[in-house]
Amino acid sequence: MTITTTRPLIALLLCAAALAGCASSPSPHGEVKGASASSREMGQSDTNRIATLAMRANLDGLYLLMDKLYRRNPGEWKKTAIGREEAEKKVREAVETRQPWPELQGKRDIQAMALALSPDFKGDRVAAFIHATADMIVVAHGNKIEFFLVDGLDAQRLYNAARNVEIGAWILASRRNAAGAPLLLSDEIGGDVRNLSFEREFGKIVGRLDLMAEFLTEKYRRAGISYVQNLLGGSFLQFLPVR
């Protein structure tokens, strides 16, 4: 190999090394982090694992929205707790242990969401709305937060859950109480202030639910295609003897 032919190769290798270095350098906005390994994963398929991770991300997204709503509406947590952190802890525990929220009068999922967003609701609206929305999402997943090989998911129910979150976010942003004030202060657009962080968090939850619904639909379609491919492969894609 001559010097003239090796120069382009060396330059290509140097570029590849530089790109690899850039890819491995930490981002100023943080790094992607995977969940910790657990022996429970042995009972999970890839679909189970993805569903579990998506569920955890959606619940954490709702908890983040709860914190943001409490900060903008401190009068709400004062109805049920002596501090914001205590109020948030109560809601988390109720969601994670699948306990009903007392102020929702025994209602669950979409009925609870409707009550929490009613102009006449007098309780802690932040707690009621977050709990009801979380409950609706869990119900759409077959009343489970973690998924294993024996579990199945309905793509249409997840799609419907995504639409329910969209409807809930729209009502929260547009509906007014009897005094003409917003049910809860959330996004703010006016003058020099532009805060759309609530909309972004709702959008992430909707996006994950929609992606999971599409993934489940694709999974069953691909299973059929794989079956046909295996049948064809058995007959037509075999190597032929040469001696």
Side-chain angles (χ1 to χ4, degrees):
M1 186 180 291
T2 64
I3 294 177
T4 56
T5 58
T6 57
R7 282 176 178 172
L9 178 60
I10 293 173
L12 181 61
L13 291 173
L14 289 174
C15 289
L19 289 173
C22 292
S24 60
S25 59
S27 166
H29 299 290
E31 299 179 37
V32 62
K33 295 181 180 179
S36 301
S38 168
S39 60
R40 298 172 68 85
E41 293 181 41
M42 297 301 294
Q44 295 179 321
S45 65
D46 291 346
T47 301
N48 297 148
R49 189 62 184 158
I50 292 172
T52 298
L53 293 175
M55 172 63 78
R56 176 46 49 197
N58 284 333
L59 291 181
D60 287 344
L62 286 174
Y63 299 151
L64 176 59
L65 281 167
M66 174 172 60
D67 181 72
K68 295 167 68 66
L69 285 169
Y70 270 145
R71 290 177 184 274
R72 290 219 67 193
N73 304 270
E76 297 301 313
W77 61 257
K78 294 178 181 178
K79 298 175 182 177
T80 55
I82 59 174
R84 178 172 50 82
E85 293 81 3
E86 179 187 345
E88 292 179 9
K89 181 180 178 181
K90 288 181 178 180
V91 176
R92 285 196 190 93
E93 289 178 348
V95 170
E96 301 289 337
T97 59
R98 304 293 291 125
Q99 296 298 313
W101 191 250
E103 294 180 312
L104 290 173
Q105 305 170 13
K107 299 182 184 298
R108 305 299 292 257
D109 59 86
I110 57 174
Q111 288 79 22
M113 290 181 70
L115 177 59
L117 293 172
S118 168
D120 299 327
F121 185 76
K122 303 299 182 184
D124 181 345
R125 194 184 298 276
V126 173
F129 174 64
I130 296 299
H131 184 281
T133 305
D135 188 64
M136 181 274 299
I137 291 175
V138 174
V139 168
H141 286 77
N143 288 294
K144 294 185 178 181
I145 293 176
E146 193 173 9
F147 308 93
F148 297 94
L149 292 172
V150 296
D151 299 322
L153 292 171
D154 188 306
Q156 186 62 48
R157 291 179 181 177
L158 300 190
Y159 177 87
N160 292 347
R163 306 289 76 76
N164 289 339
V165 174
E166 287 181 331
I167 293 168
W170 184 85
I171 292 175
L172 189 69
S174 61
R175 183 170 289 177
R176 297 292 188 266
N177 59 24
L183 299 182
L184 290 171
L185 294 176
S186 53
D187 287 330
E188 183 178 4
I189 303 177
D192 297 330
V193 179
R194 186 176 180 83
N195 176 13
L196 297 177
S197 58
F198 294 88
E199 181 180 332
R200 286 196 297 271
E201 289 303 324
F202 279 120
K204 291 177 184 178
I205 296 171
V206 171
R208 281 188 289 264
L209 288 168
D210 274 335
L211 181 59
M212 195 66 213
E214 186 173 350
F215 173 75
L216 288 170
T217 303
E218 183 78 3
K219 171 191 171 184
Y220 298 122
R221 189 177 68 85
R222 289 301 306 174
I225 292 175
S226 297
Y227 177 75
V228 174
Q229 288 174 337
N230 289 335
L231 289 178
L232 293 175
S235 304
F236 303 110
L237 300 180
Q238 294 181 2
F239 290 111
L240 301 176
V242 295
R243 58 168 136 178

